[in-house]
Amino acid sequence: MNRFVGTVSRGIRTPIIAEGDDIVDIVVNSILEASKYENIEFKNKDIIAITEAVVARAQGNYASIDDIAADVKSKYPDGELGLLFPILSRNRFSINLRGVARAAKKIYLQLSYPADEVGNQLISSEVVEQSGINPFSTVLNEKEFYDNFGKSSHPYTGVDYIQFYKEIIESEGCEVEIIFSNHPETLLDYTDNILTCDIHSRKDNLKRLENAGAKVLHNIDSILSESINGSGYNKEYGMLGANKATEEVVKLFPNDCQEIVDQISQRLSEESGKNIEVMIYGDGAFRDPSSKIWELADPVVSPAYTSGLAGEPEEVKLKYIADNNFSDLRGEELNEAVLDYIKHKDSEAIGKTQMLSEGTTPRKIADLVGSLADLTSGSGDKGTPVVWIQGYFDDIAAE
């Protein structure tokens, strides 16, 4: 074994990116400068990952509260609608909510409890359990919720999201009634005009509501799915993946991402003489063990990636083959046997023999790499919106 380092993930600093900048030029030049000044050699199957936020910023993909309101008004002209399962977030949903409320006369707001779909708590599961209430069968109104559970704030942000969302809606001159239920169909007892706000369960819940008789039915992926009065938009995800930019503006998920990653890949491959994979990433797909919050509030980890990042890893569990195939070997003899096994591993057999890959969670390469990039770049002030990953596809037998 001649190598002692496997996968390496580096955050790459770039200039501050503003609307109208050429994101392809910036990424390519930043990588080339990093290679030159940090003495990093390009290798085949290097991965360059770019956070979606700077792509959207360069595209100027923004929309105002009034733009949101105009689109909602066109879809719900009666001014009465139900909002189903929004996540609890100042950054992710509060501006969206303000836009919806600006278009409406009355909103029936249905919240799941004890937490939203990504794990943000309205109330702790322990308090719910102690109350004797079954959250999977019990529907509560606002008074009943407080009578049974008392008032509570988010354990990390300190925000009482029930009151926070209520105040946002009422500040726009809109009436609000809050319902707590984990069944989408509950909302049909109040209105048959429904805008679902959930992310990962949206297709299933849309189908359930359609089958149950909803008349006007959309998910927020259809809000701002096209430009409203010159606004930004996302043709596939609409307001899904939106972030608060200012008190009156949201930044949307970027458009035309495949074209961007293909251009960056081509230029870096030409410059380096190596095969360079490229992706755009948003949230990583992991759950924080302390807060119990699932990081993935975007609709996908990666909206676009080059072909080499498709599919799932073809890996075997080293400890399994060491303990089962070569349990009688030790030291260098064991090492050589394992390396030879890896060099000649049968990808088709791995897929069919579950024990060979047991413990290697079956996930898409793009989700795994996007999660690694998200953890590397962070969401704060590191100033590294581009991540350069090397050695990701190498196994222990790679020279």
Side-chain angles (χ1 to χ4, degrees), residues 186-241:
T186 299
L187 200 50
L188 288 170
D189 293 335
Y190 300 83
T191 179
D192 51 17
N193 301 326
I194 297 177
L195 178 62
T196 65
C197 304
D198 51 331
I199 306 164
H200 308 294
S201 56
R202 64 189 187 277
K203 292 182 181 178
D204 289 340
N205 286 334
L206 282 170
K207 179 59 68 176
R208 287 176 63 170
L209 288 165
E210 182 182 9
N211 291 339
K215 291 183 179 178
V216 181
L217 179 62
H218 300 278
N219 179 264
I220 58 171
D221 61 9
S222 69
I223 306 297
L224 297 179
S225 60
E226 57 185 26
S227 180
I228 304 296
N229 301 320
S231 74
Y233 65 99
N234 186 284
K235 50 197 168 189
E236 186 171 1
Y237 299 116
M239 287 201 302
L240 288 178

Side-chain angles (χ1 to χ4, degrees), residues 27-311:
V27 172
V28 169
N29 292 336
S30 296
I31 292 294
L32 293 176
E33 290 292 296
S35 171
K36 177 180 177 182
Y37 287 101
E38 301 294 336
N39 296 314
I40 307 170
E41 294 185 7
F42 288 94
K43 299 176 182 178
N44 274 322
K45 301 291 284 185
D46 280 2
I47 304 168
I48 306 301
I50 308 103
T51 180
E52 59 82 21
V54 296
V55 179
R57 192 181 306 144
Q59 292 177 343
N61 203 24
Y62 296 91
S64 70
I65 290 176
D66 285 338
D67 296 327
I68 297 170
D71 201 2
V72 172
K73 184 68 174 176
S74 71
K75 292 179 171 63
Y76 299 89
D78 292 344
E80 179 182 288
L81 70 154
L83 293 186
L84 180 72
F85 296 159
I87 63 172
L88 308 175
S89 173
R90 294 167 297 177
N91 175 47
R92 287 288 188 171
F93 193 74
S94 64
I95 302 299
N96 298 352
L97 179 61
R98 191 174 297 280
V100 175
R102 192 168 291 184
K105 299 173 183 176
K106 181 167 184 177
I107 287 175
Y108 297 95
L109 177 63
Q110 182 173 326
L111 301 174
S112 57
Y113 74 102
D116 68 12
E117 69 172 311
V118 296
N120 292 295
Q121 290 185 0
L122 278 177
I123 198 76
S124 74
S125 55
E126 290 82 3
V127 170
V128 175
E129 185 174 350
Q130 290 168 6
S131 73
I133 287 176
N134 183 347
F136 299 103
S137 60
T138 305
V139 177
L140 301 170
N141 60 33
E142 185 179 354
K143 182 179 184 303
E144 290 168 337
F145 186 92
Y146 284 129
D147 286 346
N148 282 281
F149 305 133
K151 293 199 173 184
S152 178
S153 59
H154 191 284
Y156 287 87
T157 66
V159 175
D160 180 340
Y161 277 99
I162 300 171
Q163 291 304 308
F164 180 51
Y165 280 3
K166 183 177 182 179
E167 289 167 5
I168 286 175
I169 295 170
E170 291 179 339
S171 71
E172 293 294 331
C174 180
E175 185 182 353
V176 59
E177 184 172 340
I178 304 178
I179 308 119
F180 301 87
S181 171
N182 289 306
H183 295 284
E185 293 87 352
T186 299
L187 200 50
L188 288 170
D189 293 335
Y190 300 83
T191 179
D192 51 17
N193 301 326
I194 297 177
L195 178 62
T196 65
C197 304
D198 51 331
I199 306 164
H200 308 294
S201 56
R202 64 189 187 277
K203 292 182 181 178
D204 289 340
N205 286 334
L206 282 170
K207 179 59 68 176
R208 287 176 63 170
L209 288 165
E210 182 182 9
N211 291 339
K215 291 183 179 178
V216 181
L217 179 62
H218 300 278
N219 179 264
I220 58 171
D221 61 9
S222 69
I223 306 297
L224 297 179
S225 60
E226 57 185 26
S227 180
I228 304 296
N229 301 320
S231 74
Y233 65 99
N234 186 284
K235 50 197 168 189
E236 186 171 1
Y237 299 116
M239 287 201 302
L240 288 178
N243 289 87
K244 178 180 178 180
T246 72
E247 294 301 325
E248 288 284 327
V249 174
V250 295
K251 177 199 68 61
L252 303 172
F253 231 42
N255 286 304
D256 304 318
C257 293
Q258 192 62 49
E259 180 180 346
I260 292 168
V261 298
D262 289 341
Q263 288 181 16
I264 294 172
S265 175
Q266 180 179 352
R267 286 183 54 180
L268 286 174
S269 296
E270 289 171 353
E271 290 281 352
S272 66
K274 306 293 184 181
N275 175 23
I276 308 297
E277 304 290 350
V278 179
M279 74 182 310
I280 292 171
Y281 69 95
D283 285 340
F286 49 84
R287 187 184 186 196
D288 180 75
S290 298
S291 67
K292 306 296 190 294
I293 295 172
W294 189 23
E295 172 69 10
L296 188 58
D298 285 327
V300 290
V301 173
S302 175
Y305 45 85
T306 49
S307 59
L309 297 173

Side-chain angles (χ1 to χ4, degrees), residues 316-388:
V316 298
K317 197 72 172 177
L318 287 180
K319 64 182 181 182
Y320 179 83
I321 59 174
D323 289 343
N324 288 272
N325 297 49
F326 309 112
S327 59
D328 57 328
L329 303 180
R330 296 292 184 275
E332 188 59 27
E333 190 178 6
L334 172 62
N335 191 59
E336 290 298 326
V338 170
L339 292 181
D340 184 70
Y341 185 96
I342 297 298
K343 286 179 181 178
H344 300 95
K345 65 185 178 184
D346 185 338
S347 298
E348 185 175 349
I350 292 170
K352 292 179 179 178
T353 309
Q354 293 183 356
M355 290 304 296
L356 283 174
S357 58
E358 185 175 13
T360 56
T361 306
R363 294 173 62 185
K364 293 181 179 179
I365 293 171
D367 291 346
L368 291 163
V369 175
S371 299
L372 173 59
D374 186 34
L375 287 166
T376 301
S377 63
S379 57
D381 57 4
K382 290 185 174 66
T384 55
V386 176
V387 177
W388 186 349

